[in-house]
Amino acid sequence: MKTYWRLHPDGESPEELLEPENQVSKPWGGADHGRCDKCGGSGRTTFHCSSCTGQADPRCEVCHGQVEFEGECPTCRGSGEITESERRGASVFPDPDGLYRYMLRRDSDMSGSVIVELEGKESDDPDFDADEGALLVFPTRIVAAGDIDRARIEELQQELSRETA
């Protein structure tokens, strides 16, 4: 079965993700309603797969090897207006590098977190950040949980710095 990756608070059991009430996703910083800030109200946005940034993979369930393409905005579902504040499923990435790149682009503090590998069934709902490679799944099994790979994060941080230079 396919596995996925996400961060989880270090002091909490990853097994909590198996409980249906914990299988919801909300936008970073809370939900804003009204005109969509991601697509500017156009209903379309550019997708940039965080998992395939290093190398396109036609088997990628996010971008199918396209890496960057235009599509329906996942935040407003193409309407131009944000009307939802949560979606069904836990937010995940198809690989740890995609997760790390996503967090680094947000300058997110990953201290106090562990990385969790889990199996799950993909949700029909798009993640609010599907344009960056995030997916929603209903976790069915925790495969592993462990320390964040600080050395790999450093490598990816340098890679991202070169992209923006």
Side-chain angles (χ1 to χ4, degrees), residues 50-67:
S50 293
S51 293
C52 289
T53 297
Q55 182 176 13
D57 182 354
R59 296 168 297 168
C60 177
E61 57 204 294
V62 175
C63 73
H64 308 287
Q66 292 182 2
V67 183

Side-chain angles (χ1 to χ4, degrees), residues 72-85:
E72 181 179 277
C73 178
T75 301
C76 67
R77 297 186 191 237
S79 71
E81 295 288 320
I82 299 173
T83 59
E84 297 173 286
S85 55

Side-chain angles (χ1 to χ4, degrees), residues 3-135:
T3 61
Y4 303 92
W5 304 84
R6 67 172 282 125
L7 294 183
H8 194 74
D10 188 21
E12 297 176 20
S13 171
E15 298 292 325
E16 295 173 358
L17 295 167
L18 303 177
E19 300 298 325
E21 64 270 15
N22 296 327
Q23 297 176 356
V24 295
S25 180
K26 298 178 182 179
W28 280 74
D32 290 329
H33 289 90
R35 184 176 181 185
C36 182
D37 56 345
K38 184 169 286 200
C39 69
S42 72
R44 311 274 302 161
T45 192
T46 301
F47 283 65
H48 186 84
C49 183
S50 293
S51 293
C52 289
T53 297
Q55 182 176 13
D57 182 354
R59 296 168 297 168
C60 177
E61 57 204 294
V62 175
C63 73
H64 308 287
Q66 292 182 2
V67 183
E68 192 167 294
F69 59 96
E70 186 177 309
E72 181 179 277
C73 178
T75 301
C76 67
R77 297 186 191 237
S79 71
E81 295 288 320
I82 299 173
T83 59
E84 297 173 286
S85 55
E86 66 180 40
R87 301 264 169 89
R88 298 173 315 114
S91 187
V92 297
F93 280 80
D95 69 13
D97 280 1
L99 172 62
Y100 291 148
R101 283 186 192 99
Y102 173 84
M103 299 303 281
L104 287 168
R105 285 187 179 114
R106 284 181 162 53
D107 199 26
S108 179
D109 181 9
M110 292 182 261
S111 63
S113 297
V114 294
I115 189 164
V116 176
E117 181 182 13
L118 56 89
E119 291 179 347
K121 178 181 179 276
E122 199 169 331
S123 173
D124 290 334
D125 281 344
D127 189 279
F128 288 103
D129 289 326
D131 57 310
E132 296 181 63
L135 300 167

